[in-house]
Amino acid sequence: MQFMLLFSRQGKLRLQKWYVPLSDKEKKKITRELVQTVLARKPKMCSFLEWRDLKIVYKRYASLYFCCAIEDQDNELITLEIIHRYVELLDKYFGSVCELDIIFNFEKAYFILDEFLLGGEVQETSKKNVLKAIEQADLLQEDAK
Amino acid sequence: MPAPIRLRELIRTIRTARTQAEEREMIQKECAAIRSSFREEDNTYRCRNVAKLLYMHMLGYPAHFGQLECLKLIASQKFTDKRIGYLGAMLLLDERQDVHLLMTNCIKNDLNHSTQFVQGLALCTLGCMGSSEMCRDLAGEVEKLLKTSNSYLRKKAALCAVHVIRKVPELMEMFLPATKNLLNEKNHGVLHTSVVLLTEMCERSPDMLAHFRKLVPQLVRILKNLIMSGYSPEHDVSGISDPFLQVRILRLLRILGRNDDDSSEAMNDILAQVATNTETSKNVGNAILYETVLTIMDIKSESGLRVLAINILGRFLLNNDKNIRYVALTSLLKTVQTDHNAVQRHRSTIVDCLKDLDVSIKRRAMELSFALVNGNNIRGMMKELLYFLDSCEPEFKADCASGIFLAAEKYAPSKRWHIDTIMRVLTTAGSYVRDDAVPNLIQLITNSVEIHAYTVQRLYKAILGDYSQQPLVQVAAWCIGEYGDLLISGQCEEEEPIQVTEDEVLDILESVLISNMSTSVTRGYALTAIMKLSTRFTCTVNRIKKVVSIYGSSIDVELQQRAVEYNALFKKYDHMRSALLERMPVMEKVTTNGPTEIVQTNGETEPAPLETKPPPSGPQPTSQANDLLDLLGGNDMTPVIPTAPTSKPASAGGELLDLLGDISLTGMFPVGAPAAAPAPASVPQISQPPFLLDGLSSQPLFNDITSGIPSITAYSKNGLKIEFTFERSNTNPSVTVITIQASNSTELDMTDFVFQAAVPKTFQLQLLSPSSSIVPAFNTGTITQVIKVLNPQKQQLRMRIKLTYNHKGSAMQDLAEVNNFPPQSWQ
């Protein structure tokens, strides 16, 4: 995976995780263009599109779009599962997650993502283990206070 | 100074802003406060401030002044600080700035920290955005952690190693020992990341690939356990056990089994098992099936398995889920060349996908449809494709039109069908066809002698209603000019003849001339057509004279020149007029499936092949023809441009006949002024048909003294391959003739292809016109071009080439040096 973006239906960015080195300017440009492209898609269209030389996989959950850019040899269908797994993790952590949770607790959303993916690849396939790690790290944070 | 506000409060405040300006004001205020807080080196609130900064950064505001603060947080001992610090580093720092290197030491320390979560943070950050320098410095630490028994750290270390290898491939070797027992792990996280690491290593190094082939049995076993094992709540997704791991194992198996019979055989059973047993009701099952199909098609699997795979794809095509249909079409496109018959069975489903609402699906269905067209299904397929052309989005029309032309040319059951099809394309998508369609169609029409009347009648009717589509109008104008006599004679065998008067014909041509929609090129066609009719029509010659003289003062230089010359024809050279405007000879056409073999003569003159090949002919600018002869240097050469075989008027002098020969082969625009007038500048210098070059090489003009010079692959990148074949001139040993052939193995055509070459100063180079500007996909055709190199000093041949073309919607350009010329080509 090269990057993952979360954005609202109005095009506001809620999370951006980049696994390739790009300048801030390039990231902004890519984000702007991609958000526009995805938001322009009609509901009946499929979740995949070609964009530049990447494959884009996106899925909408309530008011948030989850959008991943994968490479040619990556499996689009399993990427949909990866997105779904991430949503499940957020849901379990926040308890019925909604966009506001991610807005107000964006740093936690990042922490959870970083326990699930690393360098663009899945690091843990067990939901339980990811959540356990986050829980323990949170405790550590509490203790340190 | 009061405590800085909390993160959540800031977020809440900013969200109350009603306008962009209001938000900006709040942000600026807060940034100022954060800045002063940073200046005070306040440790307590640094974490909070950086977190706020990260929020504002996500909104799009600059936050670079927080970079050093992130580093300070990372260096702190508090876990909270480190967490935010590393997050900030990943978001704000990037490897282009030297600042990021300051992290290296901190990360090194944290990799050895006593708390695994701190180590985890360090591994994560390094694996996400570590630069090459950082990776070099810290690879050793990562390697150490790869061997730890702590699975939490081991899995992260594995992915971190993947990143290190991607950044610094030379370091791959050092991770090899640590991979020894990776697959013995029970922990799925470690297993998954290990498989990713092994995949990365195998993809990058053939040695590693060979080394890891021995893991195939173990991988097969792991996969088998996943499928056969009972319900495992920890890894279950809709009844399937750890699909993520299954997919990665299948992918690794693909790489290991590729081109290796033994490995492929070892995995045959498990692949069949996965293919038949996986539950397909949900996306997750289909994801695994998809990966399985990709693996089956890529390894050396037995035919039964391959058919199974294609059938799975066929079933995918019928799935309601359009995502599944999409991947099916993509996969079929990859396999259509190798397993053509199997894919043919699903043709009707594929054609149905042309009607899908989704643009991506339509495009793939279109590409696949073209790949499946053959002599048997051409009529049916063309109906569907023409219907598709009618209704598809504009972005498809050009590709679709080109595809239809190509298919029609290869498999047309009859000439009339061919012309009808092309006409249909011109009328429905006329403005989207590529430039070379016009001369190709004209050529096709001249060759279909028996239906000239039918053709001109249809074309006339087509532009009567609408003359806005330029390619259509150009072809129609040309035909009317050529065959106007047939049009007004009211003879047509194929369909009901229409009654047209000479004036009506001139009306339409004049309308084209006057219309704002007509381009300069189209106007040129129309004017010339009108001129030609002066010898074919009887009652309206005066009208034609008038039109021609009016345009003698046209603002358009091209039109003006023509009109003036035509005027001259009427006035001073009237006796030549009928000869000059004679009917065009039939042009022999070689199929545009790439030129026929560029013959490398091997030391003998071969008159026989010359006779059996079709007499090469075709448009060639006269100036280049002359240069060609000059370069050949030999006056004993037969002229390269053969005279056309059909009848010529016996009028005028001998030199006029020669000129005529040249002119008629130059194509559409007989130049009025005799002798030295160069071909008019506006002759569309579009794709030159290949046969002239064929003619060049198949004639025994070059006698290779030695046995054939080996050809070389001069360039091979991104699916574009260019091969050079060589011939030496018997009579002029300093001349080397290089014929280049460009082919394209990707799935999409390369258009507007331009080949340029440069040689060192002691050489002279002449580049002749290429056969076309499109390199068709899937190696279905090539572009040929001839280069003549003069090397009087017999120096070693070197060449720099520049390639420009359009591919997949973007402009591509590449420079390359060709240094591997065989010595026989220049010695």
Side-chain angles (χ1 to χ4, degrees), chain B residues 451-634:
Chain B
I451 42 176
H452 280 168
Y454 167 75
T455 311
V456 69
Q457 183 166 292
R458 281 213 63 189
L459 283 166
Y460 174 76
K461 283 199 278 191
I463 63 167
L464 211 47
D466 165 25
Y467 42 86
S468 61
Q469 304 206 72
Q470 302 304 294
L472 177 63
V473 175
Q474 287 169 11
V475 176
W478 190 92
C479 282
I480 293 174
E482 272 297 297
Y483 311 120
D485 48 331
L486 296 176
L487 185 57
I488 54 167
S489 71
Q491 299 163 351
C492 180
E493 282 170 7
E494 304 276 345
E495 63 173 26
E496 192 63 39
I498 55 176
Q499 303 301 329
V500 189
T501 67
E502 293 183 7
D503 277 308
E504 282 170 340
V505 174
L506 288 173
D507 282 342
I508 188 76
L509 286 175
E510 278 192 62
S511 314
V512 168
L513 263 178
I514 302 172
S515 163
N516 286 334
M517 294 183 284
S518 299
T519 62
S520 182
V521 171
T522 310
R523 290 208 175 93
Y525 273 95
L527 188 61
T528 304
I530 291 177
M531 188 58 194
K532 286 195 220 171
L533 289 173
S534 71
T535 54
R536 290 152 174 77
F537 284 179
T538 46
C539 338
T540 44
V541 182
N542 283 330
R543 180 176 171 182
I544 293 176
K545 267 195 209 167
K546 229 185 346 167
V547 170
V548 165
S549 69
I550 291 174
Y551 279 89
S553 43
S554 159
I555 305 177
D556 184 324
V557 174
E558 176 55 39
L559 277 183
Q560 192 193 101
Q561 176 176 2
R562 283 175 201 222
V564 163
E565 288 172 357
Y566 296 159
N567 247 333
L569 256 191
F570 271 125
K571 300 218 166 74
K572 286 202 288 176
Y573 300 97
D574 204 41
H575 53 287
M576 288 193 200
R577 186 160 51 89
S578 53
L580 281 170
L581 301 175
E582 250 285 326
R583 183 89 93 224
M584 289 290 185
V586 173
M587 292 181 245
E588 285 295 330
K589 191 171 196 311
V590 178
T591 59
T592 54
N593 223 1
T596 52
E597 334 80 82
I598 305 296
V599 174
Q600 234 169 249
T601 59
N602 46 6
E604 312 148 16
T605 46
E606 288 173 281
L610 181 60
E611 281 145 30
T612 51
K613 281 203 175 58
S617 59
Q620 174 79 338
T622 38
S623 49
Q624 284 210 346
N626 292 333
D627 288 348
L628 204 80
L629 290 169
D630 284 345
L631 192 60
L632 294 178

Side-chain angles (χ1 to χ4, degrees), chain B residues 380-394:
Chain B
M381 288 294 276
M382 200 49 86
K383 240 191 258 153
E384 298 284 349
L385 289 166
L386 284 171
Y387 180 74
F388 175 68
L389 182 65
D390 261 335
S391 52
C392 70
E393 285 84 349

